Amino acid sequence: MQDKTILTITGSDPTGESGIQADIRYIAELGYTAVSAITTITLQNTLGIQEFHDLPASVVGGQIDALVNDMQPRAVKIGMMRRVEVIETIVKALRRYRPDFVIYDPVLFSSRGERLMGDEALNLIRKKLFPLCTVIIVRHQEASDLLGDMVLGNVCFIDDDNRHGLSNGFSSALAVSLCEGASMQEAVGKANDFCKRQLSGATVLQGRSTQLYNDFISLVRQDFATKSDVASYADKLNVSSAYLGQVCRRIAGRSPKSIIDDAIVKDIERQLTKTGHTIQEIALSLGFSSQAHLSKFFKNIVGKSPSEYRTIQKT
């Protein structure tokens, strides 16, 4: 039996701040070997999760069987599970292989507060997984959602710290301490100490969203008269249109297209009120195919035709 091997079963976080990647890093830092079975692949960055791709239960089960048969880890650490059939598969594996310790670190909500599993999955976890767990790690604010009216003796409550990946460090340290023969009380104390050390020296992963947003706004101010499509700005900033949209919605609550359109509308308003340019001349200066095209664009956003707007502003 591999006394210093821990199996972690959870989702993948490509930022490395949480999920499988964080578990592997923390377990290795504590002197143990981590083997892993992935339940869910996420499309994720510092702005959050965009998509979930849950692996089939047969694939999750196949990973577990391959690792446990070969290495027989003493402890199994479980995190994100979203599909009923995956939960069933993990429960069957735990009953079959009977590891010494089962640490469940539930991933019930995302860092943005999105519920990550349905009621059927949660009820199954309560009924079939909880009885197999050595310890269930619960955040105070999630206790009622996770436990319902259940009163369990194997629950370890942790502070409601929203730092991404904090519970990965706590549960990994707890698993290592239990494998080393610590009592539950001692293991919890060591896990808390480990997290404090991690927090004291940790740097939060930073994306470039704020700088990118500022660069986008600067480009729009320079180029709105000749460029109105989001893709051209995204190409110039060397990002995808989807990521640029994600950044703009997170920072400004608006789409890139609405920001570009706003700059164009403001210039149309300026020319209508402060110059004698005809609407046709304004349309040509801003790259519209015709006066009618500009008029339709302007009325859709402002609610008035350019002529009506000019008349109102002059009165």
Side-chain angles (χ1 to χ4, degrees), residues 73-122:
R74 286 193 67 200
V76 174
K77 178 184 176 302
I78 303 169
M80 179 187 286
M81 302 178 294
R82 287 164 39 87
R83 297 176 59 183
V84 167
E85 56 269 33
V86 168
I87 297 167
E88 290 275 16
T89 296
I90 292 171
V91 166
K92 288 178 183 177
L94 294 175
R95 288 173 175 167
R96 182 188 312 126
Y97 295 116
R98 299 185 300 277
D100 291 344
F101 307 106
V102 176
I103 295 90
Y104 180 39
D105 178 17
V107 183
L108 189 57
F109 294 95
S110 72
S111 58
R112 296 174 62 181
E114 301 154 319
R115 178 81 172 267
L116 299 181
M117 70 172 73
D119 290 339
E120 185 181 1
L122 185 53

Side-chain angles (χ1 to χ4, degrees), residues 4-304:
K4 300 197 74 170
T5 300
I6 294 172
L7 168 61
T8 172
I9 306 171
T10 190
S12 170
D13 176 353
T15 71
E17 294 288 281
S18 185
I20 286 281
Q21 291 86 341
D23 284 348
I24 292 171
R25 184 174 71 252
Y26 289 132
I27 291 168
E29 186 176 334
L30 289 158
Y32 274 57
T33 298
V35 293
S36 59
I38 297 174
T39 58
T40 301
I41 296 171
T42 63
L43 275 60
Q44 184 175 177
N45 54 30
T46 59
L47 298 179
I49 299 173
Q50 286 86 62
E51 292 180 25
F52 294 94
H53 295 276
D54 298 315
L55 295 184
S58 60
V59 174
V60 176
Q63 294 177 84
I64 296 170
D65 288 343
L67 292 167
V68 176
N69 281 322
D70 190 36
M71 299 178 184
Q72 293 190 309
R74 286 193 67 200
V76 174
K77 178 184 176 302
I78 303 169
M80 179 187 286
M81 302 178 294
R82 287 164 39 87
R83 297 176 59 183
V84 167
E85 56 269 33
V86 168
I87 297 167
E88 290 275 16
T89 296
I90 292 171
V91 166
K92 288 178 183 177
L94 294 175
R95 288 173 175 167
R96 182 188 312 126
Y97 295 116
R98 299 185 300 277
D100 291 344
F101 307 106
V102 176
I103 295 90
Y104 180 39
D105 178 17
V107 183
L108 189 57
F109 294 95
S110 72
S111 58
R112 296 174 62 181
E114 301 154 319
R115 178 81 172 267
L116 299 181
M117 70 172 73
D119 290 339
E120 185 181 1
L122 185 53
N123 289 333
L124 182 62
I125 286 170
R126 290 170 179 163
K127 181 180 178 181
K128 295 189 176 181
L129 179 65
F130 280 2
L132 302 176
C133 293
T134 308
V135 60
I136 303 162
I137 297 166
V138 180
R139 296 169 185 80
H140 289 284
Q141 65 184 11
E142 296 180 357
S144 60
D145 292 285
L146 181 67
L147 302 175
D149 57 2
M150 299 181 74
V151 178
L152 302 173
N154 59 340
V155 171
C156 175
F157 290 98
I158 62 173
D159 292 336
D160 298 324
D161 192 310
N162 290 323
R163 180 176 176 268
H164 195 44
L166 177 66
S167 67
N168 292 86
F170 180 87
S171 54
S172 295
L174 188 66
V176 167
S177 295
L178 290 173
C179 287
E180 291 180 335
S183 67
M184 184 59 67
Q185 184 176 356
E186 291 170 337
V188 169
K190 289 181 178 181
N192 280 322
D193 289 342
F194 178 75
C195 286
K196 288 176 184 176
R197 293 197 301 273
Q198 289 296 316
L199 285 172
S200 65
T203 57
V204 178
L205 183 65
Q206 297 287 337
R208 61 175 187 146
S209 56
T210 301
Q211 184 59 53
L212 178 71
Y213 177 77
N214 292 334
D215 291 345
F216 171 62
I217 295 300
S218 296
L219 281 178
V220 169
R221 289 170 179 163
Q222 296 170 22
D223 299 343
F224 71 87
T226 56
K227 293 185 180 69
S228 61
D229 61 305
V230 175
S232 65
Y233 289 96
D235 287 344
K236 196 163 187 178
L237 293 165
N238 196 29
V239 297
S240 67
S241 297
Y243 179 67
L244 182 58
Q246 187 184 7
V247 167
C248 290
R249 290 184 180 90
R250 174 62 66 87
I251 294 177
R254 304 171 63 193
S255 70
K257 187 68 170 71
S258 71
I259 292 171
I260 297 166
D261 288 350
D262 186 59
I264 296 171
V265 165
K266 281 184 168 54
D267 194 68
I268 295 172
E269 291 174 343
R270 179 190 64 79
Q271 293 195 55
L272 289 171
T273 56
K274 298 186 181 301
T275 74
H277 298 160
T278 65
I279 296 171
Q280 178 67 25
E281 288 171 335
I282 297 173
L284 291 173
S285 75
L286 293 172
F288 285 92
S289 59
S290 65
Q291 177 177 327
H293 184 197
L294 179 143
S295 297
K296 182 179 180 181
F297 167 82
F298 188 81
K299 188 169 185 178
N300 282 341
I301 295 175
V302 179
K304 301 178 181 64

